[in-house]
């Protein structure tokens, strides 16, 4: 399979539709919460992403068709005094799973992080998402801890809705 990865052209309806369709497919799946994107999100997502310079979006194409998506947010490591890149969404279309799309997207995100002078890549993954966890382990991700005596970091959230 020929894999191409690039930033979306926000002026292209094809690219905008691909971003929304891939993210909606992910959202509908078990590891994405099992619910489709709202109509509001579908209508506004691409404009919102395009207006934020600290967000990097990568589209993967397999043999010319949309096959995967990576949305990453730039953050900042105070301990390193450098930016970091957090992979917020990593999506492979169901028909393209097992073909190296996820690995290629992670590699492309790493290239973006290096270009931005980031000190690390970060991400969150559900405990039960063993396929993703295996991919992340194989691509060099490990649990975060400063001191084993204090334990590994936990990802927490507080919704503001």
């Amino acid at each position: 399979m020929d894999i191409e990865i690039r930033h979306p052209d926000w002026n292209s309806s094809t690219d905008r539709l691909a971003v929304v369709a891939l993210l909606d497919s992910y959202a509908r799946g078990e590891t994405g919460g099992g619910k489709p994107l709202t109509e509001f999100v579908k209508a506004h997502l691409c404009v919102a992403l395009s207006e934020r310079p600290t967000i990097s979006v990568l589209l993967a194409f397999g043999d010319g068709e949309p096959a995967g998506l990576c949305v990453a947010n730039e953050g900042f490591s105070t301990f390193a005094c450098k930016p970091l890149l957090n992979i917020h969404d990593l999506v492979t279309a169901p028909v393209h799973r097992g073909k190296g799309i996820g690995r290629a997207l992670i590699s492309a995100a790493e290239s973006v992080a290096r270009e931005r002078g980031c000190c690390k890549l970060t991400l969150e993954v559900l405990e039960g998402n063993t396929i993703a966890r295996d991919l992340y382990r194989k691509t060099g991700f490990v649990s975060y801890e400063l001191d084993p005596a204090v334990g590994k970091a936990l990802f927490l959230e507080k919704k503001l809705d």
Side-chain angles (χ1 to χ4, degrees), residues 5-6 56 58 85 103-113 115:
I5 296 182
R6 61 175 174 75
S56 181
L58 298 164
L85 195 66
R103 184 179 293 271
L105 282 165
I106 289 171
S107 178
E110 184 175 337
S111 293
V112 168
E115 288 168 12

Side-chain angles (χ1 to χ4, degrees), residues 11 21 40 48 62 65 71 73-74 80-81 94 96 101 123 147:
N11 294 314
F40 175 85
E65 72 177 61
V71 179
N73 305 302
E74 186 176 304
C81 194
H96 291 288
I101 300 293
L123 56 79
D147 179 348

Side-chain angles (χ1 to χ4, degrees), residues 1 10 20 24 56 75 92 106-107 113 119 133 146 151 157 160-161:
M1 169 184 284
W10 296 119
V20 171
D24 187 56
S56 181
T92 300
I106 289 171
S107 178
C119 62
R133 289 179 66 186
L146 294 173
E157 75 173 355
L160 302 177
D161 294 327

Side-chain angles (χ1 to χ4, degrees), residues 123-142:
L123 56 79
E124 301 89 39
V125 61
L126 296 173
E127 287 179 296
N129 192 346
T130 56
I131 293 171
R133 289 179 66 186
D134 188 50
L135 170 64
Y136 301 148
R137 183 186 54 74
K138 287 178 180 175
T139 55
F141 287 88
V142 296

Side-chain angles (χ1 to χ4, degrees), residues 40-106:
F40 175 85
V41 172
K42 289 178 184 178
H44 296 93
L45 178 64
C46 291
V47 170
L49 289 171
S50 72
E51 292 175 341
R52 285 162 178 77
T54 59
I55 293 180
S56 181
V57 180
L58 298 164
L59 261 176
F61 295 85
D63 293 333
E65 72 177 61
L69 175 71
C70 178
V71 179
N73 305 302
E74 186 176 304
F76 191 78
S77 169
T78 53
F79 287 3
C81 194
K82 290 184 177 183
L84 61 87
L85 195 66
N86 177 262
I87 297 174
H88 185 70
D89 298 303
L90 187 69
V91 181
T92 300
V95 298
H96 291 288
R97 291 187 180 145
K99 299 177 182 177
I101 300 293
R103 184 179 293 271
L105 282 165
I106 289 171

Side-chain angles (χ1 to χ4, degrees), residues 32-43:
K35 296 178 183 172
L37 297 178
T38 65
E39 292 306 314
F40 175 85
V41 172
K42 289 178 184 178

